[in-house]
Amino acid sequence: MRKLFIILVLLVTCKTYAQELTSGGKLKPEQAIMDVRHYTIALNVDFKQKTIDGYTTIDVIMAQPTHVLLFDLLDSFKVSQVLVNNKKAAFEYKNNLIRINTANELPAGKASVKVIYGGKPHVAKRPPWDDGFIWTRDSTGHPWMAITAEGTGGKLYFPCKDHPSDEPNEGVDMYITAPRDLMVAGPGLLQTVINHRETSTTHWKTNYSINNYSIIFNVGDYTIAGRPYTTCDGNEVPIQFYVLKEHKDKGAHFLDIFVKTIHEQEKYFGEYPWAKEKIGMVETPHLGMEHQSMVAYGNKFKYAKIGGDDYDWLMHHEFGHEWWGNKVTAKDWADYWIHEGICTFGDALYIKEFEGNAAYIQHWKQAAPTFENKIPIVMGKDIDEEAAYNGDIYGKSAFFMHTLCYVMGDSVFYPAIKKFATSPKYTYDNLVNTDDVEQFFSQESGKNLKPLFDLYLRSVNKLDISIKAQRGGKYLIQLQNMAMPLPVDVTTDAGTKRLMVDSKGIRVDSKTMPVVDADSYYLKKVTME
C-alpha cells in the first residue's frame, strides 16, 4: 500500500504512450450550441465476428437554429442511415465525425437524432492503458467482453458529443443483445431481460447524468454477489458485484472488504452518490476503471493489509471516483486533477482511518520523492485527455490536498471537503473547474488560497524556505516564493512548534540548526546559510 503512488505513476506513464486517440480539447462550434439530454444505445453483440450493430439515439436541445449536427464516432464502423426527428437526413462520416446536413433548418429546441450503424469496434491492445473492446474468455472457456474508453471517450463505440463539458442530464438507456447464457452488466438499474432463442436483450437504465466514458457494458458468465447497504443518510441501496461464476466463492469476502471501503468513503465525502440506483462493481479482464454505478474491477482479489485487515487498493481507488470524477466532474480535461488527485488523496485517508496518523504521515513522506514535477498539473484550458494526463495528477495533486488540509487545519478542511462533495452547486449536472475548487476552499478557510493553488497546480516550483543563521543563536526563517503566510512546523532544541512564516520571515532561538516541516506537509526546497 505504501507504494500506491509509485504504481499509479507507472500506470499513467504507460497509458500516455499507449493511448492512440484522445478525448476533449477545444469544443467544436457545431457542438457548442448542442446540449445532450439523453442517449439510447441498442446493440447486438456478436462474439464470433467480434462486431456490434444496432443504433444510438441522441436527444439534444439546440441553443439556436442550425443546418448542421456534428457527432463523434470512430471510423471503424459503417453508418447505414441517420434520422433527424424520424426523417432521413444526409450525412458524411469521416475523420471520426458524423456530419449531418439537414434539408431544412433545424429550429432551436429539442431534437432527436438516430444513427444506425455497425461493424468491428476498435480492439484494446493493453487495456486499460489503451482503449477499446476486450474480447476474451474466462478460464472455463466462456466468452468474456469488456470496454475501456476513458481516454478515447464514448465515441469508441457510439455516436456522441465527445467532450467532458456535456453529460446527458436525463441519463441513458442501454439495450444490449448478447448470448443467452451470459449476463450483461451496465450502469444504473436493471429494467428487463428478454430471452430469445439463442440470445437475450438486457435493458439497463440510469436517470443520473453520466460522463460518456462510463457509458459502457460488460458481458460474461457472471453471477451476482449482493447484499443490502444502508448509507450514512439512512437510505438502503443494493450492492451488486457481478463476479465470474468461477470466482463466486470469493464474492462474500470481497463484499466484506467493499462495505468497509464504502463506509470510509462516505465518512469523508458524504452519501454514496447513486443511492437511488445501486452500488455496482463488475469483474473485468482488465485492471479496472471508474464506470459509474458499475465500477470495473480486475485486481484478481489480491489483497494487502491495512490495520490488520484485507484491503484492495484498486477497489478503493476506482470506487472513490464515484465521488471524484463521476459525481464531482471537471468540465475540461485541464482540470482532471480534481478527479484523480482528490480520489488518490482519499486512498491515503484509508490509511489514516485504519492505521492512524503516524502511518498516514509516513505514507506522504515516502510518496513525495516519487513525483516527476516536470510539467504543471493545470496547463490552461481546452486541453485534451492525452495532454492533461501525466503521473503527477495522481500523486502530486493528492499531496496538494494533504498540504491544503494542513494549511486549513483538520477542523476546517474535513467539513469543507465533504461540503464540496455534497453541494448541489458542484455536483451531478453542475460541472467544475480549478477556479471553482480554489474559490470554494478560500471561502471556507477565510484565506486567499490562490497563491498555494498556483504553486502546486500551475507551476513546477516547490515551496522555497530559507534558514539563515544569525548572531546569538538566532535563525531567520523565510518563505522565498510565496506571498501568503503559511503555518510551518519548526523544530529547535526546545521542541517543535507550529509557526506562521511569511516572506519577511520569523526569528527563532536554537542551540541547533532548526528543522522545518519534518513531517513533510509541503513539497519544499530548504536552503541554509
Side-chain angles (χ1 to χ4, degrees):
M1 177 60 202
R2 298 295 185 270
K3 297 181 179 179
L4 173 61
F5 285 119
I6 299 174
I7 293 169
L8 289 172
V9 168
L10 291 174
L11 297 185
V12 175
T13 302
C14 291
K15 175 170 179 171
T16 298
Y17 286 107
Q19 190 65 58
E20 295 180 357
L21 292 166
T22 189
S23 172
K26 190 170 181 60
L27 190 59
K28 303 174 185 72
E30 299 92 337
Q31 293 185 335
I33 62 172
M34 175 193 302
D35 177 18
V36 175
R37 307 302 297 179
H38 185 270
Y39 290 106
T40 301
I41 301 170
L43 296 171
N44 301 300
V45 180
D46 188 325
F47 275 86
K48 292 182 180 178
Q49 301 298 322
K50 296 181 179 178
T51 59
I52 58 173
D53 70 273
Y55 68 87
T56 293
T57 299
I58 311 146
D59 295 315
V60 301
I61 296 176
M62 305 304 298
Q64 63 189 54
T66 183
H67 280 284
V68 177
L69 294 164
L70 192 66
F71 297 99
D72 302 278
L73 180 67
L74 292 194
D75 285 348
S76 52
F77 301 100
K78 180 180 179 181
V79 176
S80 59
Q81 194 174 92
V82 171
L83 296 95
V84 177
N85 295 332
N86 295 317
K87 295 181 180 179
K88 289 184 180 180
F91 66 92
E92 183 180 51
Y93 176 37
K94 65 179 182 180
N95 298 326
N96 303 319
L97 291 169
I98 302 173
R99 181 177 293 273
I100 304 164
N101 298 295
T102 60
N104 299 311
E105 185 177 68
L106 189 69
K110 294 182 179 180
S112 179
V113 181
K114 183 176 183 178
V115 180
I116 302 170
Y117 64 104
K120 288 182 177 289
H122 180 76
V123 174
K125 297 176 182 178
R126 295 186 66 249
W129 302 293
D130 72 328
D131 291 331
F133 273 55
I134 302 107
W135 305 93
T136 187
R137 292 180 180 273
D138 62 26
S139 67
T140 63
H142 289 90
W144 195 12
M145 192 225 80
I147 305 169
T148 61
E150 183 183 28
T152 305
K155 68 176 181 290
L156 179 81
Y157 82 99
F158 68 94
C160 61
K161 177 182 174 181
D162 181 35
H163 199 276
S165 64
D166 194 3
E167 297 183 347
N169 309 72
E170 296 160 20
V172 177
D173 284 271
M174 302 186 80
Y175 299 85
I176 306 301
T177 301
R180 184 170 171 171
D181 60 339
L182 303 177
M183 294 180 72
V184 177
L189 286 172
L190 180 62
Q191 303 297 300
T192 59
V193 178
I194 300 175
N195 290 319
H196 314 295
R197 179 174 295 181
E198 296 181 351
T199 63
S200 61
T201 300
T202 303
H203 176 196
W204 284 97
K205 181 180 183 64
T206 178
N207 291 310
Y208 288 105
S209 57
I210 182 171
N211 58 62
N212 71 22
Y213 68 79
S214 284
I215 305 172
I216 63 94
F217 59 92
N218 303 271
V219 184
D221 185 35
Y222 293 123
T223 186
I224 301 174
R227 65 180 64 167
Y229 175 82
T230 302
T231 72
C232 61
D233 287 352
N235 294 304
E236 188 170 292
V237 187
I239 302 175
Q240 297 177 351
F241 176 35
Y242 278 67
V243 58
L244 291 177
K245 288 178 182 176
E246 62 181 284
H247 296 145
K248 64 181 180 180
D249 60 321
K250 301 180 184 295
H253 184 54
F254 181 92
L255 291 181
D256 290 338
I257 301 169
F258 194 16
V259 166
K260 195 172 181 180
T261 278
I262 302 167
H263 277 306
E264 183 267 338
Q265 300 268 17
E266 284 195 319
K267 174 181 177 178
Y268 289 101
F269 306 137
E271 186 182 41
Y272 172 71
W274 323 109
K276 295 179 181 178
E277 295 186 344
K278 71 176 185 303
I279 299 170
M281 196 161 283
V282 58
E283 187 175 1
T284 56
H286 61 87
L287 185 61
M289 194 64 68
E290 65 264 23
H291 301 139
Q292 184 171 308
S293 73
M294 190 59 87
V295 175
Y297 172 84
N299 203 32
K300 301 181 179 179
F301 311 98
K302 296 176 182 177
Y303 304 134
K305 293 288 185 181
I306 295 289
D309 293 331
D310 283 346
Y311 169 79
D312 194 309
W313 73 267
L314 188 283
M315 173 204 293
H316 189 278
H317 181 80
E318 301 302 343
F319 184 68
H321 280 302
E322 294 285 44
W323 286 265
W324 304 105
N326 295 343
K327 184 184 183 185
V328 176
T329 307
K331 65 182 70 172
D332 189 330
W333 285 107
D335 304 298
Y336 192 62
W337 74 273
I338 298 168
H339 298 198
E340 295 294 1
I342 305 181
C343 184
T344 303
F345 173 72
D347 297 335
L349 291 179
Y350 193 95
I351 300 173
K352 185 182 183 75
E353 187 72 12
F354 295 107
E355 287 196 347
N357 195 62
Y360 169 82
I361 293 297
Q362 185 62 21
H363 169 76
W364 291 115
K365 291 173 75 171
Q366 292 181 348
T370 69
F371 309 146
E372 293 183 354
N373 210 31
K374 292 180 178 178
I375 59 175
I377 291 169
V378 178
M379 298 181 292
K381 298 180 179 180
D382 299 327
I383 305 297
D384 64 31
E385 188 271 351
E386 183 72 9
Y389 212 115
N390 70 83
D392 281 348
I393 62 173
Y394 285 95
K396 185 184 174 185
S397 299
F399 194 100
F400 171 57
M401 300 307 294
H402 168 60
T403 298
L404 196 60
C405 179
Y406 173 78
V407 171
M408 294 175 64
D410 288 5
S411 63
V412 177
F413 175 83
Y414 287 115
I417 197 168
K418 181 182 284 188
K419 182 177 178 180
F420 190 89
T422 55
S423 170
K425 183 178 179 180
Y426 305 109
T427 55
Y428 299 114
D429 289 349
N430 295 311
L431 310 185
V432 300
N433 60 26
T434 301
D435 289 341
D436 294 324
V437 180
E438 179 267 303
Q439 290 164 14
F440 172 83
F441 280 101
S442 289
Q443 181 176 342
E444 293 298 307
S445 68
K447 304 174 183 177
N448 177 15
L449 296 172
K450 188 176 187 303
L452 200 64
F453 273 74
D454 289 345
L455 179 73
Y456 273 83
L457 302 178
R458 297 187 173 93
S459 84
V460 295
N461 298 321
K462 296 181 179 180
L463 183 64
D464 190 349
I465 306 174
S466 69
I467 304 174
K468 297 178 182 178
Q470 298 181 332
R471 293 179 181 180
K474 294 185 181 295
Y475 294 87
L476 179 66
I477 303 174
Q478 293 175 288
L479 302 183
Q480 297 296 327
N481 63 343
M482 176 58 58
M484 65 180 290
L486 292 173
V488 179
D489 286 357
V490 179
T491 304
T492 66
D493 62 312
T496 300
K497 292 183 179 180
R498 188 161 299 180
L499 304 174
M500 292 302 296
V501 183
D502 58 18
S503 58
K504 293 179 181 179
I506 62 166
R507 286 177 172 82
V508 297
D509 295 318
S510 183
K511 296 176 182 178
T512 59
M513 175 70 76
V515 175
V516 296
D517 189 38
D519 284 340
S520 295
Y521 289 106
Y522 294 104
L523 292 179
K524 62 188 180 294
K525 178 180 72 172
V526 179
T527 57
M528 300 181 182
E529 298 179 16

